[in-house]
Amino acid sequence: KLLDSVAADNYKRLREDNDLTDVSARVILKIVSIYYPDKFIGVSDEFVLHLLARILKIDPIPEDMIELNYVCTAELMKLNPAFAGYEF
């Protein structure tokens, strides 16, 4: 169910469908970054993601860590598709 949501670009539903806490969301981010490196980077630290969002000039910055990771990854891919699969 989790990977199906990601495959269908339903990343916003990940937390809702899986009743995730912040800690379990970090674990989920690591897992989905392995299976979908073109959609999620392997960063699950919220401070780092917020910093990256500010550097990438993402506005507004999503509050949900999973959505934030997805948006940051999308912006990185726009800059250079070679970021897919990059080990952060």
Side-chain angles (χ1 to χ4, degrees):
K1 184 175 178 178
L2 171 77
L3 294 178
D4 291 339
S5 293
V6 175
D9 282 336
N10 254 347
Y11 62 90
K12 290 182 180 182
R13 302 229 17 170
L14 286 177
R15 186 178 294 269
E16 297 163 8
D17 289 350
N18 296 288
D19 193 30
L20 301 179
T21 64
D22 285 343
V23 173
S24 57
R26 290 173 189 247
V27 173
I28 294 302
L29 277 174
K30 290 295 186 179
I31 292 168
V32 296
S33 71
I34 292 168
Y35 284 96
Y36 297 99
D38 58 324
K39 296 181 182 189
F40 294 93
I41 54 175
V43 175
S44 60
D45 185 294
E46 198 164 2
F47 175 78
V48 173
L49 289 170
H50 276 273
L51 182 60
L52 181 58
R54 286 194 294 273
I55 290 169
L56 294 170
K57 296 178 175 43
I58 295 170
D59 187 40
I61 296 176
E63 291 183 26
D64 181 66
M65 185 174 18
I66 294 172
E67 182 179 358
L68 178 57
N69 187 303
Y70 183 88
V71 171
C72 286
T73 303
E75 287 300 312
L76 285 172
M77 295 303 154
K78 286 179 191 174
L79 292 173
N80 187 344
F83 280 112
Y86 183 79
E87 293 292 327
F88 287 89

